[in-house]
Amino acid sequence: QVQLAESGGGSVQAGGSLRLSCTVSGYPDTTNRMGWFRQGPGQGREGVAFISSGTHITRYADSVKGRFTISLDDNKRTVYLQMNSLKPEDTGMYYCALQGPTLLRSPFDPDAMNYWGKGTPVTISS
């Protein structure tokens, strides 16, 4: 059974930082892409940042470039999202997701992902 376990969400003031973690278990393939989506109230699920196994090629939403950094420990099978200079509009539920070895689809499309975590809430106050 594939499990994505997220942690690190919380409540901070604008300008603060949070570090999210997501550890994968039960997934046998070494080739994959992992990343984070978020969903605010009344909004769709938005792709935030993604990283490929091995190559560690990254992609970011324009809204978080320069503020968020995604990283991956292939050995630990853990992906991290360092979020700095947080803004109220960053508030939402953050979901870890994994895309299988077929990486032709854009990771920003939620339907491209094969597995999802339960989510960890992030609240940024002004």
Side-chain angles (χ1 to χ4, degrees):
Q1 297 181 5
V2 177
Q3 300 284 342
L4 279 66
E6 303 128 320
S7 63
S11 299
V12 297
Q13 297 182 45
S17 298
L18 285 171
R19 185 181 185 235
L20 308 184
S21 299
C22 175
T23 298
V24 177
S25 62
Y27 185 74
D29 292 337
T30 58
T31 301
N32 60 272
R33 179 186 286 139
M34 295 185 64
W36 297 88
F37 289 78
R38 66 186 181 188
Q39 187 168 15
Q43 299 180 337
R45 195 161 295 189
E46 174 192 20
V48 176
F50 304 93
I51 186 166
S52 299
S53 62
T55 65
H56 288 193
I57 295 173
T58 60
R59 296 184 65 182
Y60 296 92
D62 289 341
S63 59
V64 306
K65 287 181 179 177
R67 299 189 298 120
F68 291 11
T69 302
I70 190 168
S71 59
L72 174 65
D73 187 330
D74 291 285
N75 189 42
K76 295 181 179 179
R77 308 200 77 177
T78 299
V79 63
Y80 306 92
L81 185 66
Q82 179 66 46
M83 305 187 293
N84 298 327
S85 301
L86 284 161
K87 305 175 181 179
E89 50 262 45
D90 295 318
T91 294
M93 186 70 69
Y94 282 68
Y95 298 91
C96 181
L98 184 150
Q99 185 179 18
T102 301
L103 304 177
L104 298 179
R105 298 182 67 182
S106 170
F108 291 95
D109 179 5
D111 292 336
M113 298 295 156
N114 298 103
Y115 302 98
W116 293 86
K118 295 180 180 179
T120 185
V122 170
T123 301
I124 313 302
S125 61
S126 59

